[in-house]
Amino acid sequence: DSGVTQTPKHLITATGQRVTLRCSPRSGDLSVYWYQQSLDQGLQFLIQYYNGEERAKGNILERFSAQQFPDLHSELNLSSLELGDSALYFCASSVGHGSGANVLTFGAGSRLTVL
Amino acid sequence: AQSVTQLDSQVPVFEEAPVELRCNYSSSVSVYLFWYVQYPNQGLQLLLKYLSGSTLVESINGFEAEFNKSQTSFHLRKPSVHISDTAEYFCAVSEGSQGNLIFGKGTKLSVKP
């Protein structure tokens, strides 16, 4: 157990729908990162939050949004889902934010299947 | 912009043989380098990291990687692999001012008896 908790583990939904993925960071970590893992694109960085504030943005679609709450958990919202959004979504956490020396700890992932 | 290239998508090897998984990165500034491992149906786990100091870094399960600045490489090696090393290995880089990691596309290591 890495200490990073992601729910749900599996999610099956239909095109056009909206889903929310949830992440609780490791105790003491203030930064949360979201990654998408798919067969064709590999691991893509989506977005990072630090203590409630957005810190960095990667290849996140406009249909996707995220936030980090005062208790430091984070949610990734995916809307108007398309078949191509089917992927494994990972959350990771770290203590700090701006230093590349931060080590990221990953959760087990949420597998999204869009039918 | 940073990028990471893992030159081999799949590496089959027999048990107890040596293995090298190759990783090259591109960055215009100083970097931090990582190897993560993903076992089937699991999340990513940190295997080893280079932050500063000695260019040769080791993991607790016998893997090692060497940071080579002139060749912009961070290849992962193990002198004798086990069946249990079968997994996908990801090389990642982050630059000094950023916390997020940029990953390579991964190398699937398959160890056969």
Side-chain angles (χ1 to χ4, degrees):
Chain A
D1 184 1
S2 67
V4 178
T5 304
Q6 290 187 246
T7 57
K9 286 188 172 18
H10 302 277
L11 190 55
I12 302 174
T13 189
T15 54
Q17 294 298 305
R18 171 190 170 96
V19 298
T20 298
L21 309 180
R22 181 188 168 103
C23 169
S24 293
R26 205 176 51 150
S27 177
D29 286 356
L30 299 179
S31 269
V32 170
Y33 309 76
W34 286 99
Y35 284 83
Q36 179 194 59
Q37 184 180 36
S38 61
L39 285 174
D40 53 344
Q41 295 291 325
L43 268 163
Q44 296 285 314
F45 168 66
L46 297 179
I47 198 165
Q48 176 200 359
Y49 282 83
Y50 174 77
N51 206 20
E53 300 287 330
E54 182 183 307
R55 293 293 303 186
K57 219 168 191 178
N59 301 321
I60 188 166
L61 299 172
E62 286 192 11
R63 300 183 285 109
F64 296 0
S65 64
Q67 55 184 325
Q68 186 180 28
F69 294 86
D71 67 352
L72 300 178
H73 91 272
S74 177
E75 293 181 358
L76 178 66
N77 300 298
L78 316 174
S79 62
S80 302
L81 286 168
E82 302 174 359
L83 296 177
D85 298 327
S86 295
L88 198 51
Y89 291 84
F90 283 109
C91 170
S93 69
S94 70
V95 173
H97 60 88
S99 169
N102 275 329
V103 175
L104 273 61
T105 301
F106 282 79
S110 292
R111 183 172 295 280
L112 172 66
T113 302
V114 183
L115 300 176
Chain B
Q2 308 165 68
S3 68
V4 178
T5 302
Q6 291 186 244
L7 296 163
D8 305 298
S9 60
Q10 297 191 44
V11 173
V13 64
F14 287 107
E15 194 175 18
E16 297 183 4
V19 70
E20 178 180 78
L21 307 184
R22 296 178 292 171
C23 172
N24 287 88
Y25 68 91
S26 67
S27 175
S28 59
V29 297
S30 61
V31 297
Y32 303 99
L33 294 158
F34 304 81
W35 277 98
Y36 279 80
V37 59
Q38 185 178 27
Y39 297 103
N41 300 313
Q42 295 187 28
L44 283 80
Q45 302 173 33
L46 179 67
L47 188 61
L48 46 76
K49 62 185 183 289
Y50 170 77
L51 304 180
S52 64
S54 172
T55 57
L56 184 65
V57 289
E58 299 177 355
S59 72
I60 58 173
N61 56 354
F63 283 94
E64 64 179 30
E66 186 161 21
F67 170 54
N68 188 319
K69 188 174 182 179
S70 62
Q71 297 188 5
T72 60
S73 68
F74 191 55
H75 300 332
L76 181 70
R77 301 183 183 97
K78 188 170 185 180
S80 176
V81 293
H82 302 129
I83 299 284
S84 59
D85 292 324
T86 294
E88 190 159 16
Y89 293 78
F90 292 90
C91 182
V93 62
S94 70
E95 290 181 344
S97 61
Q98 297 179 2
N100 60 294
L101 296 178
I102 304 301
F103 284 89
K105 289 197 176 293
T107 298
K108 289 184 179 177
L109 176 63
S110 175
V111 182
K112 303 177 181 182

